[in-house]
Amino acid sequence: MLIKSDVQQIKQRYGIIGNSPALNSAIDVALQVAPTDLSVLVVGESGVGKEIFPQIIHQNSPRKHGQYIAVNCGAIPDGTIDSELFGHEKGSFTGALSDRKGYFEVADGGTVFLDEVGELPIPTQARLLRVLETGEFIKVGSSKVLKTNVRIVAATNVNLTQAVAAGKFREDLYYRLSTVPILVPPLRERSNDIVSLFRKFAADCAEKYRMPPIHLDDAARQLLISYRWPGNVRELKNITERISIIEESRDITAEILRSYLPDINVEKFPVLLKNESEHKVFNNEREILYQVLFDMKNDVNELKKLVHEIMSGNVQMSVDDDTCSKPHPHPHPHAHNIDSSTTIQEVEPVEEETLSLEEVEKDMIRKALEKHNGRRKNAAADLKISERTLYRKIKEYNLE
Ligand SMILES: Nc1ncnc2c1ncn2[C@@H]1O[C@H](COP(=O)(O)OP(=O)(O)OP(=O)(O)O)[C@@H](O)[C@H]1O
Ligand SMILES: [Mg+2]
């Protein structure tokens, strides 16, 4: 059993955050198995942090000066995967203009990381089993048996035993690959690590964009810990980055955090806020925009009602706009005379108003810039957002 300080050292070296027993034990297993040639299968849900394990294993093994090749089995088309992994001979298929070495030949003496190994097609699984058992392989289009000395680390976020039961994954290959399994636990099972991970991602983001890091208040911290994190560390990282960039305030409340968590986001619209005082705490651009949208929608409904009443002759119009108050010299073919002094043009059917937040936002920014003759400082003040946010949005929407 390795002493604890080795695991801590590895965490520091690879930037791994967290101190939960399950994570420490996964790193411990990786370090113990590294010096051997045993195959390792890293298992865990998507986003838990599997990718670092094959690197730890390779770099702490006698193969560390050999090649390390990471292959995403799910990203290579079925038709070319054999050629990618094992190489091909010139002329073996259309487009095979010359001989090509495969990863297993290139990585001779090193390590191949087979990510998403559950995605390998069945014929490739047979070839892989042969390499694992005898070190032998045959290039596509060749009959010559070649030898290689490659260490395999594989990873999967699907349940391979289920894939075996469904006939999608060879049982013998599964046992051969999982000689040493490393289980990376889901984030919800290491809740003591969630806040440290958040702090790390917030600090990284602050450094990258040269701004102060965001902080959570007590309620927000509780919410962060109790959320299920179906996308695990990747989801936590993405959300922390999004909040850091989008939110003006560096003090993040549970209210703000909730609006970024998809599964429990129930308060989508400000109309759902319970009382007046809550309306006053709109410190979030999104809520302000929702409010603008709702106000606009109400205005449009008022207008529709008014137009309807005018059309049915219930309202006497008193219009002071010049273009409407005088009979038009060339009346529009669809113009109606409502009374002797008023002509209005037939109203086009009102289109379903857009609820695209992005369009409304773009429009508001454009109007503010026009109003202030392009002076961003004034436009930002009018929009009640920072100049930095305005600058970012101008870039994002290409409004320059
Ligand atoms: N303990 C950790 N400390 C710091 N960063 C981490 C940790 N775990 C994961 N990450 C980061 O989270 C992100 C997702 O991790 P990774 O890509 O390894 O997930 P994965 O398990 O391979 O997921 P998938 O199955 O979808 O490929 C990466 O940016 C990784 O650096
Ligand atoms: Mg991965």
Side-chain angles (χ1 to χ4, degrees), residues 130-157:
R130 183 167 180 189
V131 177
L132 277 163
E133 286 183 333
T134 62
E136 290 173 357
F137 69 98
I138 299 173
K139 283 181 164 188
V140 175
S142 165
S143 52
K144 205 164 111 199
V145 177
L146 300 173
K147 275 249 176 202
T148 187
N149 172 13
V150 167
R151 203 274 178 81
I152 309 266
V153 181
T156 181
N157 57 30

PDB file of all heavy atoms in Angstrom, residues 130-157:
ATOM      1  N   ARG A 130      -6.876 -10.208 -29.625  1.00  0.00           N
ATOM      2  CA  ARG A 130      -5.663 -10.923 -30.052  1.00  0.00           C
ATOM      3  C   ARG A 130      -4.400 -10.159 -29.613  1.00  0.00           C
ATOM      4  O   ARG A 130      -3.461 -10.755 -29.092  1.00  0.00           O
ATOM      5  CB  ARG A 130      -5.687 -11.096 -31.577  1.00  0.00           C
ATOM      6  CG  ARG A 130      -4.516 -11.880 -32.070  1.00  0.00           C
ATOM      7  CD  ARG A 130      -4.677 -12.321 -33.501  1.00  0.00           C
ATOM      8  NE  ARG A 130      -3.508 -13.075 -33.938  1.00  0.00           N
ATOM      9  CZ  ARG A 130      -3.307 -13.440 -35.181  1.00  0.00           C
ATOM     10  NH1 ARG A 130      -4.195 -13.138 -36.116  1.00  0.00           N
ATOM     11  NH2 ARG A 130      -2.227 -14.119 -35.518  1.00  0.00           N
ATOM     12  N   VAL A 131      -4.395  -8.848 -29.802  1.00  0.00           N
ATOM     13  CA  VAL A 131      -3.235  -8.051 -29.364  1.00  0.00           C
ATOM     14  C   VAL A 131      -3.029  -8.204 -27.862  1.00  0.00           C
ATOM     15  O   VAL A 131      -1.904  -8.349 -27.381  1.00  0.00           O
ATOM     16  CB  VAL A 131      -3.432  -6.554 -29.681  1.00  0.00           C
ATOM     17  CG1 VAL A 131      -2.266  -5.735 -29.169  1.00  0.00           C
ATOM     18  CG2 VAL A 131      -3.575  -6.322 -31.154  1.00  0.00           C
ATOM     19  N   LEU A 132      -4.151  -8.148 -27.134  1.00  0.00           N
ATOM     20  CA  LEU A 132      -4.045  -8.234 -25.674  1.00  0.00           C
ATOM     21  C   LEU A 132      -3.501  -9.588 -25.227  1.00  0.00           C
ATOM     22  O   LEU A 132      -2.732  -9.677 -24.277  1.00  0.00           O
ATOM     23  CB  LEU A 132      -5.426  -8.029 -25.046  1.00  0.00           C
ATOM     24  CG  LEU A 132      -5.849  -6.567 -24.871  1.00  0.00           C
ATOM     25  CD1 LEU A 132      -7.346  -6.471 -24.640  1.00  0.00           C
ATOM     26  CD2 LEU A 132      -5.114  -5.958 -23.692  1.00  0.00           C
ATOM     27  N   GLU A 133      -3.887 -10.640 -25.929  1.00  0.00           N
ATOM     28  CA  GLU A 133      -3.491 -11.975 -25.484  1.00  0.00           C
ATOM     29  C   GLU A 133      -2.113 -12.388 -25.956  1.00  0.00           C
ATOM     30  O   GLU A 133      -1.365 -13.032 -25.228  1.00  0.00           O
ATOM     31  CB  GLU A 133      -4.545 -12.997 -25.919  1.00  0.00           C
ATOM     32  CG  GLU A 133      -5.776 -12.853 -25.042  1.00  0.00           C
ATOM     33  CD  GLU A 133      -6.854 -13.865 -25.355  1.00  0.00           C
ATOM     34  OE1 GLU A 133      -6.914 -14.337 -26.507  1.00  0.00           O
ATOM     35  OE2 GLU A 133      -7.640 -14.161 -24.451  1.00  0.00           O
ATOM     36  N   THR A 134      -1.783 -11.994 -27.198  1.00  0.00           N
ATOM     37  CA  THR A 134      -0.522 -12.508 -27.761  1.00  0.00           C
ATOM     38  C   THR A 134       0.419 -11.401 -28.224  1.00  0.00           C
ATOM     39  O   THR A 134       1.558 -11.682 -28.592  1.00  0.00           O
ATOM     40  CB  THR A 134      -0.822 -13.404 -28.988  1.00  0.00           C
ATOM     41  OG1 THR A 134      -1.469 -12.564 -29.969  1.00  0.00           O
ATOM     42  CG2 THR A 134      -1.735 -14.556 -28.645  1.00  0.00           C
ATOM     43  N   GLY A 135      -0.068 -10.161 -28.265  1.00  0.00           N
ATOM     44  CA  GLY A 135       0.759  -9.063 -28.787  1.00  0.00           C
ATOM     45  C   GLY A 135       0.781  -9.072 -30.312  1.00  0.00           C
ATOM     46  O   GLY A 135       1.514  -8.309 -30.939  1.00  0.00           O
ATOM     47  N   GLU A 136      -0.020  -9.957 -30.936  1.00  0.00           N
ATOM     48  CA  GLU A 136       0.004 -10.084 -32.397  1.00  0.00           C
ATOM     49  C   GLU A 136      -1.122  -9.285 -33.056  1.00  0.00           C
ATOM     50  O   GLU A 136      -2.214  -9.181 -32.501  1.00  0.00           O
ATOM     51  CB  GLU A 136      -0.177 -11.555 -32.793  1.00  0.00           C
ATOM     52  CG  GLU A 136       1.008 -12.413 -32.468  1.00  0.00           C
ATOM     53  CD  GLU A 136       0.723 -13.892 -32.730  1.00  0.00           C
ATOM     54  OE1 GLU A 136      -0.420 -14.246 -33.110  1.00  0.00           O
ATOM     55  OE2 GLU A 136       1.652 -14.680 -32.543  1.00  0.00           O
ATOM     56  N   PHE A 137      -0.825  -8.776 -34.234  1.00  0.00           N
ATOM     57  CA  PHE A 137      -1.872  -8.113 -35.025  1.00  0.00           C
ATOM     58  C   PHE A 137      -1.527  -8.204 -36.506  1.00  0.00           C
ATOM     59  O   PHE A 137      -0.385  -8.505 -36.876  1.00  0.00           O
ATOM     60  CB  PHE A 137      -2.024  -6.646 -34.598  1.00  0.00           C
ATOM     61  CG  PHE A 137      -0.860  -5.776 -34.966  1.00  0.00           C
ATOM     62  CD1 PHE A 137      -0.902  -4.982 -36.107  1.00  0.00           C
ATOM     63  CD2 PHE A 137       0.291  -5.755 -34.184  1.00  0.00           C
ATOM     64  CE1 PHE A 137       0.174  -4.183 -36.452  1.00  0.00           C
ATOM     65  CE2 PHE A 137       1.368  -4.962 -34.521  1.00  0.00           C
ATOM     66  CZ  PHE A 137       1.306  -4.165 -35.659  1.00  0.00           C
ATOM     67  N   ILE A 138      -2.534  -7.968 -37.331  1.00  0.00           N
ATOM     68  CA  ILE A 138      -2.331  -8.013 -38.781  1.00  0.00           C
ATOM     69  C   ILE A 138      -2.868  -6.715 -39.364  1.00  0.00           C
ATOM     70  O   ILE A 138      -3.975  -6.284 -39.011  1.00  0.00           O
ATOM     71  CB  ILE A 138      -3.091  -9.226 -39.402  1.00  0.00           C
ATOM     72  CG1 ILE A 138      -2.558 -10.529 -38.818  1.00  0.00           C
ATOM     73  CG2 ILE A 138      -2.971  -9.220 -40.913  1.00  0.00           C
ATOM     74  CD1 ILE A 138      -3.361 -11.758 -39.232  1.00  0.00           C
ATOM     75  N   LYS A 139      -2.068  -6.097 -40.235  1.00  0.00           N
ATOM     76  CA  LYS A 139      -2.537  -4.855 -40.858  1.00  0.00           C
ATOM     77  C   LYS A 139      -3.696  -5.155 -41.811  1.00  0.00           C
ATOM     78  O   LYS A 139      -3.752  -6.254 -42.387  1.00  0.00           O
ATOM     79  CB  LYS A 139      -1.406  -4.229 -41.681  1.00  0.00           C
ATOM     80  CG  LYS A 139      -0.366  -3.516 -40.850  1.00  0.00           C
ATOM     81  CD  LYS A 139       0.668  -2.923 -41.798  1.00  0.00           C
ATOM     82  CE  LYS A 139       1.498  -1.883 -41.098  1.00  0.00           C
ATOM     83  NZ  LYS A 139       2.370  -1.169 -42.016  1.00  0.00           N
ATOM     84  N   VAL A 140      -4.553  -4.177 -42.030  1.00  0.00           N
ATOM     85  CA  VAL A 140      -5.657  -4.352 -42.978  1.00  0.00           C
ATOM     86  C   VAL A 140      -5.051  -4.600 -44.371  1.00  0.00           C
ATOM     87  O   VAL A 140      -4.147  -3.872 -44.793  1.00  0.00           O
ATOM     88  CB  VAL A 140      -6.567  -3.097 -43.003  1.00  0.00           C
ATOM     89  CG1 VAL A 140      -7.645  -3.215 -44.069  1.00  0.00           C
ATOM     90  CG2 VAL A 140      -7.189  -2.855 -41.620  1.00  0.00           C
ATOM     91  N   GLY A 141      -5.526  -5.640 -45.042  1.00  0.00           N
ATOM     92  CA  GLY A 141      -5.052  -5.948 -46.395  1.00  0.00           C
ATOM     93  C   GLY A 141      -3.769  -6.759 -46.407  1.00  0.00           C
ATOM     94  O   GLY A 141      -3.160  -6.951 -47.458  1.00  0.00           O
ATOM     95  N   SER A 142      -3.322  -7.209 -45.253  1.00  0.00           N
ATOM     96  CA  SER A 142      -2.071  -7.970 -45.207  1.00  0.00           C
ATOM     97  C   SER A 142      -2.345  -9.345 -44.627  1.00  0.00           C
ATOM     98  O   SER A 142      -3.413  -9.600 -44.062  1.00  0.00           O
ATOM     99  CB  SER A 142      -1.077  -7.218 -44.322  1.00  0.00           C
ATOM    100  OG  SER A 142      -0.002  -8.045 -43.957  1.00  0.00           O
ATOM    101  N   SER A 143      -1.379 -10.253 -44.781  1.00  0.00           N
ATOM    102  CA  SER A 143      -1.563 -11.548 -44.136  1.00  0.00           C
ATOM    103  C   SER A 143      -0.415 -11.798 -43.176  1.00  0.00           C
ATOM    104  O   SER A 143      -0.349 -12.840 -42.517  1.00  0.00           O
ATOM    105  CB  SER A 143      -1.648 -12.654 -45.206  1.00  0.00           C
ATOM    106  OG  SER A 143      -0.542 -12.533 -46.056  1.00  0.00           O
ATOM    107  N   LYS A 144       0.489 -10.830 -43.105  1.00  0.00           N
ATOM    108  CA  LYS A 144       1.671 -10.988 -42.244  1.00  0.00           C
ATOM    109  C   LYS A 144       1.334 -10.654 -40.788  1.00  0.00           C
ATOM    110  O   LYS A 144       0.765  -9.594 -40.502  1.00  0.00           O
ATOM    111  CB  LYS A 144       2.754 -10.034 -42.756  1.00  0.00           C
ATOM    112  CG  LYS A 144       4.148 -10.478 -42.396  1.00  0.00           C
ATOM    113  CD  LYS A 144       5.170  -9.753 -43.234  1.00  0.00           C
ATOM    114  CE  LYS A 144       5.950  -8.802 -42.343  1.00  0.00           C
ATOM    115  NZ  LYS A 144       6.628  -7.763 -43.094  1.00  0.00           N
ATOM    116  N   VAL A 145       1.691 -11.559 -39.907  1.00  0.00           N
ATOM    117  CA  VAL A 145       1.435 -11.315 -38.481  1.00  0.00           C
ATOM    118  C   VAL A 145       2.580 -10.489 -37.895  1.00  0.00           C
ATOM    119  O   VAL A 145       3.748 -10.836 -38.044  1.00  0.00           O
ATOM    120  CB  VAL A 145       1.306 -12.658 -37.715  1.00  0.00           C
ATOM    121  CG1 VAL A 145       1.108 -12.395 -36.222  1.00  0.00           C
ATOM    122  CG2 VAL A 145       0.147 -13.479 -38.273  1.00  0.00           C
ATOM    123  N   LEU A 146       2.223  -9.365 -37.265  1.00  0.00           N
ATOM    124  CA  LEU A 146       3.235  -8.496 -36.650  1.00  0.00           C
ATOM    125  C   LEU A 146       3.104  -8.571 -35.136  1.00  0.00           C
ATOM    126  O   LEU A 146       2.063  -8.968 -34.606  1.00  0.00           O
ATOM    127  CB  LEU A 146       3.049  -7.055 -37.125  1.00  0.00           C
ATOM    128  CG  LEU A 146       3.157  -6.819 -38.629  1.00  0.00           C
ATOM    129  CD1 LEU A 146       2.791  -5.382 -38.973  1.00  0.00           C
ATOM    130  CD2 LEU A 146       4.563  -7.136 -39.121  1.00  0.00           C
ATOM    131  N   LYS A 147       4.154  -8.147 -34.467  1.00  0.00           N
ATOM    132  CA  LYS A 147       4.151  -8.189 -32.999  1.00  0.00           C
ATOM    133  C   LYS A 147       4.315  -6.783 -32.433  1.00  0.00           C
ATOM    134  O   LYS A 147       5.006  -5.952 -33.017  1.00  0.00           O
ATOM    135  CB  LYS A 147       5.334  -9.048 -32.526  1.00  0.00           C
ATOM    136  CG  LYS A 147       5.028 -10.512 -32.488  1.00  0.00           C
ATOM    137  CD  LYS A 147       5.006 -10.899 -31.035  1.00  0.00           C
ATOM    138  CE  LYS A 147       4.633 -12.300 -30.696  1.00  0.00           C
ATOM    139  NZ  LYS A 147       4.152 -12.477 -29.365  1.00  0.00           N
ATOM    140  N   THR A 148       3.681  -6.531 -31.333  1.00  0.00           N
ATOM    141  CA  THR A 148       3.859  -5.249 -30.664  1.00  0.00           C
ATOM    142  C   THR A 148       3.791  -5.442 -29.157  1.00  0.00           C
ATOM    143  O   THR A 148       3.206  -6.414 -28.680  1.00  0.00           O
ATOM    144  CB  THR A 148       2.796  -4.214 -31.137  1.00  0.00           C
ATOM    145  OG1 THR A 148       3.103  -2.938 -30.584  1.00  0.00           O
ATOM    146  CG2 THR A 148       1.394  -4.599 -30.711  1.00  0.00           C
ATOM    147  N   ASN A 149       4.393  -4.500 -28.457  1.00  0.00           N
ATOM    148  CA  ASN A 149       4.383  -4.579 -26.993  1.00  0.00           C
ATOM    149  C   ASN A 149       3.738  -3.294 -26.458  1.00  0.00           C
ATOM    150  O   ASN A 149       4.423  -2.292 -26.242  1.00  0.00           O
ATOM    151  CB  ASN A 149       5.834  -4.733 -26.510  1.00  0.00           C
ATOM    152  CG  ASN A 149       5.931  -4.618 -25.002  1.00  0.00           C
ATOM    153  OD1 ASN A 149       4.917  -4.656 -24.293  1.00  0.00           O
ATOM    154  ND2 ASN A 149       7.139  -4.458 -24.504  1.00  0.00           N
ATOM    155  N   VAL A 150       2.427  -3.351 -26.347  1.00  0.00           N
ATOM    156  CA  VAL A 150       1.674  -2.152 -25.967  1.00  0.00           C
ATOM    157  C   VAL A 150       0.894  -2.404 -24.693  1.00  0.00           C
ATOM    158  O   VAL A 150       0.306  -3.466 -24.513  1.00  0.00           O
ATOM    159  CB  VAL A 150       0.721  -1.729 -27.116  1.00  0.00           C
ATOM    160  CG1 VAL A 150      -0.286  -0.711 -26.641  1.00  0.00           C
ATOM    161  CG2 VAL A 150       1.505  -1.165 -28.288  1.00  0.00           C
ATOM    162  N   ARG A 151       0.894  -1.410 -23.821  1.00  0.00           N
ATOM    163  CA  ARG A 151       0.074  -1.497 -22.605  1.00  0.00           C
ATOM    164  C   ARG A 151      -1.258  -0.793 -22.904  1.00  0.00           C
ATOM    165  O   ARG A 151      -1.268   0.301 -23.470  1.00  0.00           O
ATOM    166  CB  ARG A 151       0.818  -0.739 -21.511  1.00  0.00           C
ATOM    167  CG  ARG A 151       0.507  -1.090 -20.092  1.00  0.00           C
ATOM    168  CD  ARG A 151      -0.617  -0.458 -19.424  1.00  0.00           C
ATOM    169  NE  ARG A 151      -0.821  -0.935 -18.072  1.00  0.00           N
ATOM    170  CZ  ARG A 151      -0.131  -0.516 -17.014  1.00  0.00           C
ATOM    171  NH1 ARG A 151       0.864   0.328 -17.141  1.00  0.00           N
ATOM    172  NH2 ARG A 151      -0.463  -0.952 -15.817  1.00  0.00           N
ATOM    173  N   ILE A 152      -2.347  -1.439 -22.527  1.00  0.00           N
ATOM    174  CA  ILE A 152      -3.661  -0.862 -22.826  1.00  0.00           C
ATOM    175  C   ILE A 152      -4.322  -0.335 -21.555  1.00  0.00           C
ATOM    176  O   ILE A 152      -4.443  -1.041 -20.554  1.00  0.00           O
ATOM    177  CB  ILE A 152      -4.634  -1.915 -23.398  1.00  0.00           C
ATOM    178  CG1 ILE A 152      -4.021  -2.672 -24.561  1.00  0.00           C
ATOM    179  CG2 ILE A 152      -5.974  -1.280 -23.772  1.00  0.00           C
ATOM    180  CD1 ILE A 152      -4.318  -2.139 -25.900  1.00  0.00           C
ATOM    181  N   VAL A 153      -4.752   0.918 -21.643  1.00  0.00           N
ATOM    182  CA  VAL A 153      -5.648   1.443 -20.611  1.00  0.00           C
ATOM    183  C   VAL A 153      -6.918   1.842 -21.361  1.00  0.00           C
ATOM    184  O   VAL A 153      -6.839   2.537 -22.384  1.00  0.00           O
ATOM    185  CB  VAL A 153      -5.053   2.671 -19.879  1.00  0.00           C
ATOM    186  CG1 VAL A 153      -6.010   3.158 -18.796  1.00  0.00           C
ATOM    187  CG2 VAL A 153      -3.703   2.337 -19.272  1.00  0.00           C
ATOM    188  N   ALA A 154      -8.055   1.366 -20.903  1.00  0.00           N
ATOM    189  CA  ALA A 154      -9.309   1.692 -21.592  1.00  0.00           C
ATOM    190  C   ALA A 154     -10.210   2.456 -20.627  1.00  0.00           C
ATOM    191  O   ALA A 154     -10.012   2.408 -19.407  1.00  0.00           O
ATOM    192  CB  ALA A 154      -9.995   0.414 -22.058  1.00  0.00           C
ATOM    193  N   ALA A 155     -11.169   3.187 -21.177  1.00  0.00           N
ATOM    194  CA  ALA A 155     -12.133   3.883 -20.316  1.00  0.00           C
ATOM    195  C   ALA A 155     -13.524   3.755 -20.915  1.00  0.00           C
ATOM    196  O   ALA A 155     -13.683   3.608 -22.138  1.00  0.00           O
ATOM    197  CB  ALA A 155     -11.768   5.363 -20.190  1.00  0.00           C
ATOM    198  N   THR A 156     -14.500   3.771 -20.034  1.00  0.00           N
ATOM    199  CA  THR A 156     -15.882   3.709 -20.512  1.00  0.00           C
ATOM    200  C   THR A 156     -16.811   4.439 -19.555  1.00  0.00           C
ATOM    201  O   THR A 156     -16.598   4.439 -18.349  1.00  0.00           O
ATOM    202  CB  THR A 156     -16.361   2.249 -20.662  1.00  0.00           C
ATOM    203  OG1 THR A 156     -17.707   2.260 -21.148  1.00  0.00           O
ATOM    204  CG2 THR A 156     -16.331   1.482 -19.350  1.00  0.00           C
ATOM    205  N   ASN A 157     -17.809   5.108 -20.131  1.00  0.00           N
ATOM    206  CA  ASN A 157     -18.836   5.696 -19.267  1.00  0.00           C
ATOM    207  C   ASN A 157     -20.151   4.943 -19.427  1.00  0.00           C
ATOM    208  O   ASN A 157     -21.182   5.360 -18.926  1.00  0.00           O
ATOM    209  CB  ASN A 157     -19.012   7.200 -19.522  1.00  0.00           C
ATOM    210  CG  ASN A 157     -19.360   7.515 -20.951  1.00  0.00           C
ATOM    211  OD1 ASN A 157     -19.996   6.717 -21.629  1.00  0.00           O
ATOM    212  ND2 ASN A 157     -18.960   8.682 -21.421  1.00  0.00           N
TER     213      ASN A 157
END
